[in-house]
Structure formats: structure tokens, C-alpha cells
Amino acid sequence: MKLKQAVTGMAALACMTTAAHAQSAGSFVLSTGWFHLAPQSSSEPLRVTSIGGSPTNITEANTGASLSSADTIGFTLGYFVTDHIAAEFVLGYPPSFDLTGTGSFERFGKLGQAKQWSPTLLFKYFFNAPTAAFRPYLGIGVSRVWFTDAKITNSAFEANVLHGPTSVDTDSSWAPVFNAGFTYAFDQHWFAGVSISYLPLSTTAKLNTAARTPVGTLNVQSQTKIKLNPIVSYVNIGYRF
């Protein structure tokens, strides 16, 4: 009789333990944490496309730029559609990236900066049972990326290379997102997670310069295509509803 009671008690405890870690269909999850964005960047040479309104196609050889890494706080809101499939919306406070010269521009150091916005929709497949504390996953999704507050901050570069005050505009674009990671549940509600994402991403930076020339001020338009291809790591803590 005592053995039967002990077995029954252990079974009940096991049910309570597994239920405490449930990540099942209908669950909402909210998390926040630290994003580290590490662009694997390179760029095409600067190309002058217009001088004084006349189209040109002048390539400045051995010129380029790269982007620095950046850190920011992020937030995610997810919903388990099934016990193994979840949809997740990801948003980070826009980090600021430094644009640094390469090639013949390397001597100028930092050329400018811009803030990046990249809200993302992910679909994740979670392995292991929904009652497991440790659940690795693979994900795929899409991100809408654009930049704000883009500007040239290096006065020597602006005066000696661009030859006048310059404004900067960048393209917005859609980018696929490839994602992998895991979560670990501490109890019925709280969990922690780690993930790595990769975004094959490029943007075109367009420069508009009021260039000072011997014949007066001319509008000069130039551009360069920058490959960012960031690897994004995310360490977070979350709450399950």
C-alpha cells in the first residue's frame, strides 16, 4: 500500500514538474534582452552619377566603407500556434552604426553614422516535447530594414573628398532572416534564451553634395552599395502567459 502511494506521489510530482515547463499551443511569450549586431560589411567603390544635373558614371577607384558593430536592447512577442511552431515579432531600439573608410578613405577613419530600424517577423520550429525545460529551435523570417539620421560627420572628408556640404539618403529593403537558438524554462512562467540570426542585406547610400568648384557651386550626386550581412546575437529573459 505504501509502495503504491509512493509511486502515485512520484507520478503526480512528475506531472507537476513537466507542466511547469510547458510551452504549448496557445501560449504567449514576451521577452527582452541584449542584441549584438556584427555586420560582415564591404562596399563597392564610390561612384559619381551626376554633376550639375548632367549624368555621369565616374568610379573612384580604391574607395569604400565598412560598418561598425553595435549593441542595443530588444523586445520580442511570440505566440505558439502549435506545440512546436511559434510566430514571433522582434523589435530593437534602433542602434547607431559608425561608417568607417576603407581603401584610400581609410586615412579619414570614421566618415559618418546612421541608425538602423529592422522590425522582424520570425517563424520558429521548437524541438523536444512542450514539457521539456530545454528546447532548441530553428527559425526563418523576414525583416524590413531602413536607416534614419544618416549623415557625414567627418569635416575633413566632406571638404577634401566630397568638396562641400553633403546629405545622405539610404534605400530601405526587405531581407530574409535565418535563425537558430534555444530557450530554457526555469518554471511555469520564466525562461531565458540565446539565439543567433543572419541577414543577407545590402543598401545603397546616396550622397547629395553642394560642391564648391572653380565655376561655382554645383550639385554632385554620388552613391555606393554597401553589403551589411549582419550576424545578430540575442540573449534574453522572458515571461510566458
Side-chain angles (χ1 to χ4, degrees), residues 31 34-36 76 84 86-90 120-127 135-143 175-183 193-200 230-236:
S31 75
W34 168 76
F35 275 114
H36 178 71
T76 67
H84 294 278
E88 186 173 271
F89 179 71
V90 185
T120 300
L121 179 63
L122 285 172
F123 294 94
K124 298 179 176 180
Y125 184 86
F126 284 77
F127 299 91
R135 299 195 71 185
Y137 61 80
L138 293 175
I140 191 169
V142 64
S143 182
V177 182
F178 304 96
N179 174 257
F182 67 86
T183 61
V194 175
S195 73
I196 297 290
S197 299
Y198 174 71
L199 288 76
I231 296 174
V232 183
S233 55
Y234 183 45
V235 179
N236 63 310

Side-chain angles (χ1 to χ4, degrees), residues 94-174:
S96 181
F97 289 93
D98 292 337
L99 187 69
T100 303
T102 60
S104 63
F105 291 165
E106 185 174 2
R107 69 184 189 275
F108 293 101
K110 178 182 174 181
L111 306 180
Q113 62 187 39
K115 292 182 178 180
Q116 180 194 24
W117 299 77
S118 53
T120 300
L121 179 63
L122 285 172
F123 294 94
K124 298 179 176 180
Y125 184 86
F126 284 77
F127 299 91
N128 294 342
T131 52
F134 175 75
R135 299 195 71 185
Y137 61 80
L138 293 175
I140 191 169
V142 64
S143 182
R144 180 65 174 175
V145 183
W146 71 93
F147 294 86
T148 59
D149 299 330
K151 57 187 175 182
I152 301 296
T153 59
N154 190 310
S155 57
F157 175 75
E158 193 172 56
N160 298 321
V161 175
L162 302 176
H163 305 295
T166 300
S167 61
V168 183
D169 189 25
T170 57
D171 289 339
S172 58
S173 60
W174 293 95

